[in-house]
Amino acid sequence: MRWSTQINNSKVPTVATWEPVLENQLPPPNEVPADLVDKLERLALVDFPNQEGLACLKKSIRFADQLHVVNTEGVEPMDSVLEDRALYLSGDAVADGDCADRLLQLSKQTVEEYFVAPPGNIPLSTRDRAMLKCSASKLEDTSIKTV
Amino acid sequence: MAASSAGMSVLLCNNIKQIALFYPSQQRQSLCVIRGIYTPASLCQSKGQIKRKSAPKELVGVVGLEVHAQIHANTKLFSRAGVGFQAPPNSLVSFFDASLPGTLPVLNRRCVEAAVMTGLALNCFINKKSVFDRKHYFYADLPAGYQITQQRRPIAVDGTLTYSHLGGPKRNALVTRSVRIKQIQLEQDSGKSLHDDLRGQTLIDLNRAGVGLMELVMEPDMTCGDEAAAAIRELQLILQALGTCQGHMDEGQLRVDANVSVHKPGDPWGIRTEVKNINSVRNLARAIDYEIQRQVGVLDSGGTVQNETRSFDAKSGRTVAMRDKEGLQDYRFMPEPNLPPLMVYDHCSTVPPGVHPSQVVALEEVRAQLPEMPSVRRAMMVEAYDILPEHSFTLMNEEGLMDYFESVVRETKAGPRKVIGWVMNVLLGLLNQHSLGVSQSPITPKALAQLLDLQETGLISSSVAKQVFQELWKAPGKTARQVVQEQNLEIVNNSTEIHRICQEVVDTHPEQLQAIRDGNKRVLNKLIGLVQKETKGRADPVLVRAILEDMTS
C-alpha cells in the first residue's frame, strides 16, 4: 500500500523508450502463396476476399516478425501466466448439468432437444462473409499497432 | 471472429512448417525394425501371389493404433456434469461444456488418477509435470472450436503393452509379442452428431462433450489384423481390471483407429491411411486385413496409395474413403492458457508443505492400489490348475469363461484338465455355434459339474456324456441324472451281456474277423462301433475293446 503512493516509484518511463525496428533487422519476408491463403481461410474461417485483405495479412506477419529480433537463447517460453500456480484438482461429484432447456434457448434452431447444424463442416453464411469484408477494409485504414 | 485475426501470428508460420506430407505433426517418425512373421492367413487370400513369388521381397503390413479410452468417472474431465451413456439429449451438459463465454476448466482428480494408474500398469514413465494444449478445428460437435489435450508433454510416455495371440501354423500355439506405447494423454471428448441426410442437417448432442479420454498412441509395431485385435483385447482386459475404462467398443467407451501402410521389409514406410469407424475387436482385424490387401492390390497394379481417412463398413467388410475429411489438417496447437501445469508427486512425503492432501496424486500410493493384472491371473491359473498357457489364454479371452471354469472345478470331482476340455471344446463350441455369450449359456456350471461327476463315477461313458450334454442344452431345466434315467443311458458293463453282444457281432461279420486276423487292426473299430450301436452307446468302451481284441486274436 505504501509503495504505490510513493510518487518516485512509478514504473512508467518519463521519456519514450520505444525503439523502432528497422527493416534490415528483420529476417526476409515470408511469401504467402495463394493455396496457403485458401488453407488459412478454411482453418480459421476467415475471409480474405481481396488484395486489401491479403495486404493486411502480410503486414500482420511482418509486424509479428519483430519477435525475431529478441534473443531467446536459453530461455524457456512462458505459455501461461499461471505457471507458478498450483492446478486445482476437483472431486468427482456431479454438481452441474441438467439445464438442457436453458442451453437450447440460446440456439435459433433446435429439433427435439438437439442443437441443429448444417451437414458436414460449417460453411460461412453469406451474411458473415459480408461482415468480414467490411472489417478487413477497416483494419487496413488504421495503422496496425496491435494484432 | 476477433480471435481469428490474432491467429495470424508467428505461431502459425511455425506450425505450417511442421505439416509433414505423410505423417501428422503429432507423431514423430522413428526407426522401427519390423520383426514378426507376416501371417499366412491374410497373405493366402490376396491375389497375384504367384507373380510375387518370383520377386525377392513381399509387401508386409505396418499397423499402428490410436486408442481413445473413455475414463470411467462420475463427472467429465473439466466440468462437474455427469457422465452417462443413454441420457436425454443435452441433459448432461454444463455451461463450460457448451463453451459459453466466461466459463473455465476445472480438472477432475479422478481422471488424473486414472491416467496415472493406466500409465503405471503399462510400464510407462510418468511425467511429474505435464501440460495441457489446445487443438483447434471447427466441427459442430466441438462447441469451443478447440479440444483441450496434452500434445507436447503428456502425463505418461514410453510404455509397453505385452499381449499374446494364438499363432503358428495351426493357430494353437501361444505367441507373445509387445507393442510400444508412445504416450498416454488426457483429453476431452467431443459431442455426438447425428446426420439427418433427408433434411440436410446434423443434430448435435453435447452429453459426451468434455468427457475425459485417455488417448494411447502406439508405435507401428504390428503387422496384421490378428496382432492388433489381440493387443486391443489385452488392453481391454487391463483397463477393465484397473477400473479406469469399461472398455466396451460397441458403446464407444473404447475407440480404435488404425493407421495402415504396406512396404517391403527394409524399405522406408509406405504411405499410410487411417481407418475409422471400427466398433468391435473382430471388426478391427477385418478392417486392417482388408486395408492391407487393398493397398497391396493398388501397389501391385502400379498405382499409389493415397494418404486419406477411410471408414470401415462392417456389412461389406470393406473400407471406403470418407468424404468429410479433406486434405491435411493443421491443428494450430497452442498451450492452454487457463491451466497451470499438472504436477504429480513421487510420494506423499515429497510434496511441498502447504499442499492439501486432496490436491496430491502420489505415484507410490497409486502403484500400491494397482489390482491384479490379467497376465498375472493367467499365470496363476496355469499354476493352480495345471493347465496350459493356451488354455488360460482362451479362458481369459472369453468374457466370463474363467469364472465359469473355476465354478465347475469347485463343484466337481473331475480334474481341472478334464474340465478344461469340456469347457473349451464342448461348451465354447456350442456357444460359438449359437452366437451366445458365456452368461447366456443354457447349461450352468453346477449342471456341468453334475454331468462330469456322473462320468467320473463311471455311471455313464464319455460318449454318452456328450449326448447328455446336448440334451441338457435343449432342455436346461433338467439335471444330468434325470436325462440319464429318462433315456436309459447308464453304462452297461455287465460282462456277460457285453460278451454275448460281442460274440454276436463277430459271428455275423466273418470277413472283418479275417481282416483283423490278417493284420488290419483298424477294422476292430468298425466292430466296436457295431457293438456300441447295439447297446445304444451305453457299453463300457474299455471293456468292449478288451473283449473284442481277445476274440479276434
Side-chain angles (χ1 to χ4, degrees):
Chain A
M1 294 275 180
R2 288 170 302 155
W3 208 236
S4 58
T5 51
Q6 283 177 12
I7 307 165
N8 304 351
N9 201 41
S10 170
K11 298 292 181 284
V12 179
T14 45
V15 183
T17 54
W18 178 271
E19 277 171 26
V21 177
L22 301 168
E23 190 66 28
N24 56 13
Q25 284 177 282
L26 298 176
N30 266 321
E31 274 308 310
V32 187
D35 56 340
L36 183 57
V37 175
D38 286 338
K39 191 185 178 82
L40 290 175
E41 287 189 338
R42 196 162 33 87
L43 285 181
L45 293 190
V46 173
D47 199 15
F48 298 105
N50 48 20
Q51 278 305 109
E52 292 162 347
L54 280 175
C56 174
L57 173 64
K58 289 200 172 87
K59 279 193 200 161
S60 308
I61 296 176
R62 206 73 187 118
F63 182 78
D65 280 340
Q66 290 179 86
L67 287 171
H68 286 287
V69 176
V70 182
N71 181 7
T72 54
E73 195 79 30
V75 181
E76 276 297 307
M78 171 194 262
D79 37 55
S80 169
V81 294
L82 303 170
E83 63 183 14
D84 291 329
R85 298 263 208 109
L87 174 55
Y88 177 71
L89 299 177
S90 162
D92 196 21
V94 177
D96 253 325
D98 206 21
C99 50
D101 46 345
R102 296 176 70 187
L103 291 173
L104 290 165
Q105 268 169 20
L106 298 168
S107 174
K108 242 192 313 197
Q109 192 187 0
T110 61
V111 169
E112 273 181 43
E113 298 182 337
Y114 287 94
F115 294 103
V116 179
N121 224 330
I122 311 166
L124 283 179
S125 70
T126 39
R127 183 170 155 270
D128 288 332
R129 282 182 168 265
M131 270 181 61
L132 275 171
K133 278 196 182 89
C134 208
S135 55
S137 51
K138 274 207 198 119
L139 268 173
E140 210 258 344
D141 289 333
T142 64
S143 62
I144 306 147
K145 282 265 158 59
T146 50
V147 181
Chain B
M1 286 308 151
S4 49
S5 52
M8 304 304 140
S9 64
V10 178
L11 264 174
L12 182 64
C13 295
N14 282 338
N15 277 355
I16 292 162
K17 287 179 198 136
Q18 278 172 29
I19 299 168
L21 263 181
F22 302 144
Y23 298 92
S25 52
Q26 63 256 44
Q27 280 182 4
R28 267 176 283 128
Q29 223 178 30
S30 52
L31 273 177
C32 164
V33 177
I34 309 294
R35 43 189 156 94
I37 316 120
Y38 188 65
T39 57
S42 22
L43 231 195
C44 289
Q45 287 160 17
S46 56
K47 296 179 230 164
Q49 198 189 0
I50 298 161
K51 210 178 357 162
R52 265 187 278 120
K53 262 189 183 149
S54 53
K57 288 186 279 191
E58 284 170 349
L59 289 166
V60 295
V62 177
V63 180
L65 299 177
E66 271 170 32
V67 182
H68 290 87
Q70 222 174 56
I71 299 177
H72 184 42
N74 295 331
T75 61
K76 298 184 177 180
L77 184 60
F78 290 117
S79 79
R80 299 293 82 77
V83 175
F85 184 49
Q86 266 152 358
N90 291 308
S91 60
L92 300 174
V93 186
S94 70
F95 287 177
F96 171 77
D97 302 322
S99 84
L100 299 192
T103 55
L104 289 171
V106 180
L107 184 54
N108 183 349
R109 186 211 156 92
R110 160 71 185 148
C111 292
V112 179
E113 283 173 351
V116 169
M117 234 195 309
T118 307
L120 289 174
L122 295 171
N123 304 308
C124 295
F125 175 77
I126 307 289
N127 278 328
K128 305 277 192 330
K129 174 176 165 181
S130 55
V131 291
F132 289 97
D133 303 309
R134 289 187 184 179
K135 177 177 174 182
H136 298 81
Y137 62 95
F138 286 110
Y139 207 75
D141 63 17
L142 196 68
Y146 62 86
Q147 176 195 37
I148 302 180
T149 175
Q150 290 185 305
Q151 191 247 359
R152 282 174 303 150
R153 224 148 176 257
I155 190 158
V157 291
D158 289 341
T160 351
L161 170 64
T162 309
Y163 63 96
S164 310
H165 68 118
L166 294 173
K170 284 194 257 176
R171 297 172 84 97
N172 58 358
L174 209 63
V175 176
T176 304
R177 299 180 58 113
S178 64
V179 55
R180 290 168 298 163
I181 297 194
K182 179 158 173 267
Q183 63 190 52
I184 301 179
Q185 61 200 49
L186 283 168
E187 61 180 33
Q188 289 176 306
D189 205 349
S190 64
K192 262 213 195 110
S193 34
L194 304 162
H195 299 286
D196 182 0
D197 293 319
L198 203 62
R199 290 183 201 80
Q201 62 191 13
T202 303
L203 302 179
I204 307 291
D205 174 14
L206 296 176
N207 282 346
R208 207 184 63 180
V211 172
L213 292 178
M214 290 181 288
E215 175 167 350
L216 288 95
V217 182
M218 298 189 197
E219 302 281 11
D221 292 343
M222 291 168 282
T223 60
C224 65
D226 266 348
E227 289 174 16
I232 291 301
R233 181 76 190 114
E234 184 68 13
L235 182 65
Q236 255 183 340
L237 291 171
I238 292 177
L239 292 174
Q240 283 166 349
L242 290 172
T244 52
C245 172
Q246 289 170 302
H248 297 139
M249 281 181 79
D250 46 358
E251 287 179 23
Q253 290 163 346
L254 190 69
R255 279 166 252 160
V256 184
D257 299 330
N259 297 316
V260 183
S261 68
V262 294
H263 75 148
K264 298 203 170 106
D267 285 356
W269 285 342
I271 298 178
R272 65 169 185 71
T273 61
E274 193 179 352
V275 182
K276 292 175 111 68
N277 194 33
I278 299 166
N279 66 355
S280 75
V281 178
R282 189 169 156 262
N283 282 336
L284 177 67
R286 287 172 74 202
I288 291 174
D289 287 334
Y290 174 83
E291 184 59 21
I292 290 176
Q293 271 183 50
R294 186 193 73 88
Q295 290 194 10
V296 166
V298 165
L299 291 177
D300 271 351
S301 59
T304 45
V305 179
Q306 303 282 335
N307 174 21
E308 59 186 346
T309 306
R310 298 177 73 86
S311 170
F312 179 67
D313 175 17
K315 268 199 287 244
S316 63
R318 309 202 323 218
T319 61
V320 285
M322 278 171 81
R323 61 180 171 82
D324 230 353
K325 308 266 175 156
E326 338 112 14
L328 291 164
Q329 269 286 20
D330 177 8
Y331 293 113
R332 299 177 293 154
F333 283 97
M334 77 177 236
E336 169 58 59
N338 292 324
L339 292 170
L342 170 61
M343 309 293 288
V344 296
Y345 303 97
D346 271 319
H347 205 268
C348 292
S349 53
T350 59
V351 176
V355 181
H356 195 270
S358 71
Q359 299 300 303
V360 173
V361 174
L363 296 185
E364 281 313 308
E365 267 180 13
V366 178
R367 210 187 292 270
Q369 284 171 4
L370 285 178
E372 181 187 73
M373 288 288 101
S375 52
V376 173
R377 185 152 186 228
R378 273 195 284 258
M380 268 177 41
M381 296 284 287
V382 171
E383 270 293 312
Y385 298 110
D386 190 30
I387 53 180
L388 294 174
E390 282 81 356
H391 299 153
S392 189
F393 174 77
T394 307
L395 283 181
M396 193 101 220
N397 228 19
E398 288 296 326
E399 179 131 5
L401 198 60
M402 198 165 255
D403 291 327
Y404 191 104
F405 168 76
E406 290 197 290
S407 310
V408 177
V409 169
R410 260 200 303 270
E411 306 210 17
T412 186
K413 298 187 200 68
R417 283 273 179 140
K418 280 221 177 99
V419 180
I420 268 282
W422 275 90
V423 167
M424 271 181 50
N425 301 328
V426 189
L427 176 71
L428 200 56
L430 266 181
L431 284 174
N432 285 338
Q433 215 178 351
H434 292 91
S435 295
L436 292 174
V438 174
S439 52
Q440 298 159 304
S441 163
I443 302 181
T444 61
K446 201 177 171 80
L448 181 57
Q450 285 172 348
L451 174 60
L452 292 179
D453 278 343
L454 290 181
Q455 190 189 338
E456 209 52 27
T457 52
L459 195 71
I460 52 175
S461 68
S462 58
S463 53
V464 167
K466 294 205 173 64
Q467 236 180 301
V468 176
F469 189 88
Q470 299 281 351
E471 291 298 318
L472 285 177
W473 184 278
K474 287 182 252 173
K478 299 202 177 141
T479 64
R481 204 172 269 279
Q482 278 174 319
V483 175
V484 168
Q485 273 168 356
E486 281 168 18
Q487 299 189 16
N488 233 339
L489 295 168
E490 280 126 356
I491 204 166
V492 173
N493 49 15
N494 180 339
S495 143
T496 9
E497 181 64 21
I498 296 191
H499 221 267
R500 183 187 65 76
I501 299 174
C502 287
Q503 192 65 60
E504 211 183 290
V505 166
V506 167
D507 289 341
T508 48
H509 294 84
E511 326 86 47
Q512 278 83 352
L513 179 63
Q514 192 55 49
I516 296 172
R517 286 204 172 130
D518 284 341
N520 186 354
K521 294 292 172 201
R522 278 201 302 205
V523 183
L524 192 67
N525 291 334
K526 182 165 178 205
L527 291 181
I528 294 179
L530 288 167
V531 172
Q532 288 289 13
K533 209 163 84 157
E534 193 53 43
T535 60
K536 294 198 190 37
R538 291 175 298 146
D540 183 352
V542 175
L543 198 57
V544 169
R545 182 174 274 272
I547 292 176
L548 276 178
E549 275 177 355
D550 190 46
M551 284 183 183
T552 58
S553 57

